[in-house]
C-alpha cells in the first residue's frame, strides 16, 4: 500500500506540468477571448481577392483566396514590421487542393503565445491537401485494363512508382499478386535452395542476387522495369531493389544494388513493375518512356470517370523554425516522401487530421526533429511508407 500511495502522490505532482504542456500544445485555446483576424481559402476563390469572405460575393468581385500559399503570404503581410497583434485563423473550405509545390512555413510565418496562427478545415467540411497530380482520360485497353497518356497531363518523363485511386494506394503489377484477404502473410514467393541458419556465415555470399524456384519462372520483355521487394536473411526489414538482369538458365535474378543482407533460401519476396504481371484489379503499369499508364481500377467504373493520382511532391507541408502555428482537421495524402515535416519548430501542432497514402520506403506520416513543445495529436495515420510519427 505504501508503494501505491507514493506512486499516486508522484503522479499528482506531475499534473501541473502536464496541464502546462497541453496548454502550450493548444495555442488557439489560450486566445479564444481575444479579437482575431480570419481569412478563407476555397476552390471557388481567387488569389486576387481579399480572402476575408467565406464565399464569393454576388458581384464576384471579392471572396476567399484560392490557395493556402496565398493565405500564408497574407499573414506575412500582416506581420510586416512586427509580430501579430491578434490571433489569425485561416479557414479552408471543402475540396481537394493539389499543391503545386510543398507548402513551406518558416520563422516569418510564426504566431505568438497570445496571437497564434491556425490553419483549419472549415467546420463540417472535408479538406484534402494532396501532393498528387490527377490522371484522367482513361480509355479501354485490354479487358478491364484501361490506358491513358500521362505525357499530356504534366507527367512527361516522370517515372512515378506509386499510384492512388479513391484515396488508396494501388499495387504495381506484381507476381505473386497482392492478397487482400491475407495482406501480410499472403502474396509471397520464396527464394529457392536449401535453408541455411540465418546466423551462419557463408564465404563469398553476395547481397544482390536471388535464386527463384522453377515454379516461379516468369517471362518479361523488359525485366529491367521490375523491382524485387524482399525481406533478406534475418527478415528484420525489407529492401526494394531494381532488377539488372534475369538468367532463365540458372534461375537467377541479379539486382542493380545490394540489399541489406544476402537473399537466402526461403526468404520471402515478390517482383513488381513488369507489364506482363498486370492481371488483377488495382494493379497498374507505367511505361515512362512512352508516357503510357495502364490501370485496372478496382470495381466497375466508367473509364471516363476514373481519376487516379500520382505523387509529384516529396512533402506536402514543411514547417522550419516556425512557432505557434497549428494545422487542424486536414487530410494529407499522396506524396512520395514524408507528408508533414516539423524541423526546429516550437509550440506547433498537427491535430485532428488524417494522414494516409503517403511515403515510399523512407517516408513517414509526420516527422518532428529539433524544437520544443510540438504536438501531433488526434490524427488517423495509416498506409504510410515507413513510420506514422517519427
Amino acid at each position: 500500500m505504501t508503494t501505491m500511495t507514493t506512486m499516486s502522490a508522484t503522479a499528482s505532482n506531475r499534473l501541473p506540468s502536464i496541464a502546462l504542456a497541453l496548454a502550450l500544445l493548444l495555442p488557439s485555446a489560450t486566445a479564444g477571448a481575444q479579437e482575431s483576424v480570419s481569412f478563407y481559402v476555397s476552390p471557388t476563390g481567387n488569389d486576387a481577392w481579399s480572402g476575408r469572405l467565406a464565399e464569393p460575393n454576388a458581384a464576384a468581385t471579392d471572396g476567399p483566396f484560392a490557395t493556402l500559399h496565398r493565405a500564408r503570404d497574407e499573414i506575412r503581410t500582416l506581420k510586416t514590421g512586427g509580430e501579430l497583434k491578434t490571433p489569425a485563423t485561416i479557414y479552408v473550405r471543402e475540396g481537394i487542393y493539389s499543391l503545386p509545390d510543398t507548402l513551406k512555413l518558416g520563422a516569418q510565418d510564426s504566431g505568438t503565445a497570445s496571437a497564434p496562427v491556425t490553419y483549419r478545415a472549415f467546420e463540417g467540411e472535408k479538406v484534402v491537401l494532396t501532393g498528387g497530380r490527377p490522371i484522367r482520360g482513361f480509355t479501354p485497353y485490354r479487358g478491364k485494363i484501361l490506358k491513358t497518356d500521362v505525357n499530356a497531363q504534366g507527367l512527361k518523363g516522370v517515372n512515378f512508382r506509386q499510384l492512388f485511386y479513391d484515396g488508396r494506394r494501388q499495387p504495381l503489377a506484381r507476381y505473386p499478386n497482392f492478397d487482400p484477404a491475407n495482406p501480410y502473410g499472403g502474396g509471397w514467393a520464396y527464394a529457392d535452395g536449401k535453408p541455411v541458419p540465418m546466423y551462419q556465415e557463408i564465404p563469398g555470399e553476395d547481397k544482390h542476387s536471388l535464386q527463384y524456384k522453377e515454379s516461379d519462372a516468369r517471362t518479361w520483355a523488359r525485366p529491367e522495369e521490375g523491382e524485387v521487394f524482399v525481406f533478406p536473411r534475418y527478415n528484420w526489414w525489407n529492401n526494394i531493389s531494381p532488377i539488372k538482369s534475369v538468367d532463365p538458365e540458372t534461375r537467377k535474378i541479379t539486382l542493380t544494388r545490394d540489399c541489406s543482407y544476402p537473399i537466402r533460401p526461403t526468404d520471402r519476396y515478390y517482383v513488381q513493375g513488369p507489364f506482363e504481371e498486370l492481371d488483377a484489379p488495382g494493379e497498374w503499369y507505367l511505361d515512362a518512356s512512352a508516357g503510357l499508364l495502364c490501370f485496372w481500377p478496382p470495381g466497375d467504373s466508367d473509364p471516363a470517370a476514373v481519376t487516379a493520382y500520382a505523387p509529384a511532391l516529396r512533402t506536402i507541408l514543411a514547417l522550419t523554425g516556425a512557432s505557434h502555428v497549428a494545422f487542424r482537421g486536414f487530410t494529407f495524402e499522396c506524396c512520395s516522401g514524408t507528408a508533414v515535416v516539423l524541423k526546429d519548430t516550437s509550440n506547433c501542432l498537427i491535430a485532428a487530421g488524417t494522414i494516409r497514402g503517403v511515403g515510399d520506403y523512407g517516408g513517414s506520416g509526420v516527422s518532428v526533429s529539433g524544437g520544443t513543445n510540438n504536438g501531433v495529436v488526434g490524427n488517423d495515420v495509416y498506409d504510410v511508407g515507413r513510420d506514422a510519427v517519427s
Side-chain angles (χ1 to χ4, degrees):
M1 292 299 294
T2 302
T3 302
M4 292 179 66
T5 303
T6 301
M7 290 175 65
S8 177
T10 302
S12 178
N13 290 337
R14 289 176 180 162
L15 287 177
S17 297
I18 295 172
L20 175 60
L22 287 173
L24 289 170
L25 287 175
L26 302 173
S28 62
T30 64
Q34 300 181 55
E35 292 186 5
S36 62
V37 59
S38 299
F39 295 101
Y40 298 87
V41 177
S42 170
T44 61
N46 187 321
D47 280 349
W49 290 343
S50 71
R52 297 293 186 125
L53 304 179
E55 298 177 355
N57 62 13
T61 57
D62 196 12
F65 295 133
T67 67
L68 279 82
H69 290 72
R70 177 66 180 87
R72 175 205 60 190
D73 293 346
E74 189 65 18
I75 298 297
R76 292 179 179 177
T77 300
L78 282 181
K79 292 184 62 180
T80 301
E83 296 180 337
L84 283 176
K85 301 300 187 292
T86 60
T89 302
I90 296 90
Y91 294 97
V92 185
R93 303 304 303 267
E94 185 164 1
I96 297 175
Y97 296 80
S98 186
L99 303 187
D101 49 47
T102 300
L103 180 61
K104 297 179 180 180
L105 280 71
Q108 70 269 40
D109 304 300
S110 297
T112 65
S114 61
V117 177
T118 302
Y119 294 76
R120 66 186 312 152
F122 198 85
E123 185 174 359
E125 297 188 358
K126 183 178 179 180
V127 179
V128 177
L129 306 184
T130 176
R133 297 289 176 269
I135 300 176
R136 303 183 177 94
F138 286 95
T139 57
Y141 182 47
R142 296 181 183 175
K144 294 189 176 182
I145 299 174
L146 309 179
K147 67 176 181 178
T148 189
D149 179 1
V150 298
N151 283 349
Q153 302 184 58
L155 291 165
K156 185 175 183 178
V158 179
N159 188 22
F160 52 88
R161 306 303 285 172
Q162 299 179 64
L163 189 74
F164 297 87
Y165 177 70
D166 197 22
R168 296 180 180 275
R169 191 193 313 264
Q170 304 299 304
L172 263 169
R174 54 175 277 183
Y175 174 82
N177 287 337
F178 174 72
D179 183 358
N182 188 11
Y184 298 108
W188 298 100
Y190 297 87
D192 197 20
K194 184 178 179 180
V196 179
M198 66 174 63
Y199 292 103
Q200 178 182 325
E201 297 298 328
I202 300 177
E205 192 175 27
D206 70 63
K207 300 179 181 179
H208 55 263
S209 65
L210 181 153
Q211 192 78 31
Y212 60 87
K213 296 178 181 178
E214 186 174 354
S215 58
D216 291 321
R218 314 295 292 175
T219 300
W220 301 316
R222 301 179 185 178
E224 68 279 1
E225 291 183 331
E227 301 169 328
V228 171
F229 183 116
V230 61
F231 282 83
R233 186 171 175 178
Y234 298 105
N235 280 262
W236 286 335
W237 58 71
N238 69 296
N239 295 120
I240 304 174
S241 299
I243 293 174
K244 181 179 181 180
S245 63
V246 178
D247 187 339
E249 295 296 325
T250 60
R251 290 187 280 111
K252 182 179 181 180
I253 297 176
T254 301
L255 307 176
T256 62
R257 57 173 178 254
D258 282 351
C259 293
S260 302
Y261 306 99
I263 303 171
R264 290 188 167 181
T266 74
D267 284 348
R268 66 193 192 274
Y269 75 93
Y270 61 80
V271 177
Q272 62 182 15
F275 171 75
E276 291 83 356
E277 304 303 340
L278 206 173
D279 59 359
E283 291 189 342
W284 59 281
Y285 162 80
L286 174 68
D287 184 342
S289 61
L292 176 68
L293 172 66
C294 298
F295 178 41
W296 182 339
D300 294 322
S301 302
D302 176 4
V306 171
T307 300
Y309 288 83
L313 302 181
R314 286 288 297 170
T315 294
I316 298 170
L317 172 65
L319 278 64
T320 305
S323 60
H324 296 284
V325 177
F327 278 77
R328 296 174 177 271
F330 294 98
T331 293
F332 298 90
E333 66 181 27
C334 195
C335 69
S336 58
T338 296
V340 179
V341 174
L342 276 64
K343 180 175 175 58
D344 298 327
T345 58
S346 63
N347 300 289
C348 288
L349 179 67
I350 308 298
T354 298
I355 302 167
R356 67 185 186 188
V358 300
D360 53 14
Y361 183 82
S364 301
V366 183
S367 71
V368 184
S369 60
T372 57
N373 295 324
N374 299 294
V376 181
V377 181
N379 301 283
D380 292 327
V381 186
Y382 59 93
D383 190 17
V384 295
R386 191 174 181 89
D387 309 300
V389 180
S390 168

